[in-house]
Amino acid sequence: MPTQFDYRHTWSFPADEVYPTMVEADFLRARLEQIGGPGAALLEHSVDADGARYRLRQGVDPQNLPSLVRTVLPGDVVIEREESWRRDGPGSYTGDTRVTIPGTPGSATGVMRLRDAGEGSELHIRIEVTVKVPLIGGKIEEMVTGQVTGLLESESTFTQDWLARRR
């Protein structure tokens, strides 16, 4: 049974300033360079007036994974992540994400919302993690959600710092 969780982060910048930064190719490359892990790369990228779509590859050093996860994912772990965003209106964006780990029984999907909130904006992501391994899949899903939350927090901090440096 998949494990679902929510992630929220607020920024001191409005959504109409955060969104174009989050989907900018140079920003994505810099973020991947700093926190994307071994072999990280921006594989595809397109932005137009209707929205944005990009595909990322991220690497995870197996030593950074809990031992139970390493038993199912031996060797280097490569994560492929696709995100698409669309503008709903002023200060409001919606997106979808899909994460795969090629050659493994794990995947994740999510819905993302970026909205103005008070003096800044809030990102809300609802993610569903699925690991199809009999008996221990649920336990691995719980561990993966912790890893994903940590990654999202690192990305959010990177975004805040990036925006602050450009003001």
Side-chain angles (χ1 to χ4, degrees):
M1 173 182 247
T3 300
Q4 191 176 81
F5 71 100
D6 291 290
Y7 172 80
R8 293 180 188 274
H9 187 85
T10 57
W11 285 290
S12 57
F13 301 93
D16 287 335
E17 194 172 336
V18 174
Y19 168 76
T21 296
M22 286 176 46
V23 301
E24 176 185 88
D26 289 341
F27 165 81
L28 290 166
R29 284 187 194 101
R31 190 182 80 190
L32 285 166
E33 184 177 315
Q34 184 169 330
I35 57 178
L42 178 61
L43 304 173
E44 294 176 22
H45 182 265
S46 66
V47 176
D48 60 29
D50 296 324
R53 183 169 157 42
Y54 49 89
R55 191 167 60 94
L56 312 168
R57 180 179 56 228
Q58 295 173 269
V60 179
D61 184 334
Q63 295 178 338
N64 294 333
L65 296 171
S67 61
L68 180 60
V69 175
R70 285 195 310 263
T71 63
V72 178
L73 307 175
D76 292 339
V77 176
V78 175
I79 298 168
E80 291 191 6
R81 181 170 157 189
E82 295 178 34
E83 293 188 3
S84 61
W85 286 93
R86 61 202 159 275
R87 186 171 193 256
D88 297 329
S92 179
Y93 302 85
T94 304
D96 298 300
T97 187
R98 188 173 75 96
V99 178
T100 57
I101 306 170
T104 73
S107 64
T109 58
V111 177
M112 307 175 291
R113 284 188 222 111
L114 175 64
R115 306 260 191 273
D116 283 339
E119 298 284 320
S121 59
E122 179 185 59
L123 175 67
H124 174 224
I125 305 174
R126 173 158 287 162
I127 299 173
E128 184 172 283
V129 176
T130 304
V131 178
K132 296 178 182 175
V133 176
L135 303 174
I136 61 170
K139 189 65 157 170
I140 295 172
E141 288 169 3
E142 289 176 25
M143 292 178 192
V144 169
T145 62
Q147 297 285 322
V148 171
T149 299
L151 174 63
L152 292 173
E153 194 56 42
S154 294
E155 290 178 353
S156 295
T157 299
F158 183 88
T159 304
Q160 178 70 28
D161 293 346
W162 181 278
L163 287 163
R165 285 192 307 267
R166 275 141 186 83
R167 267 209 165 168

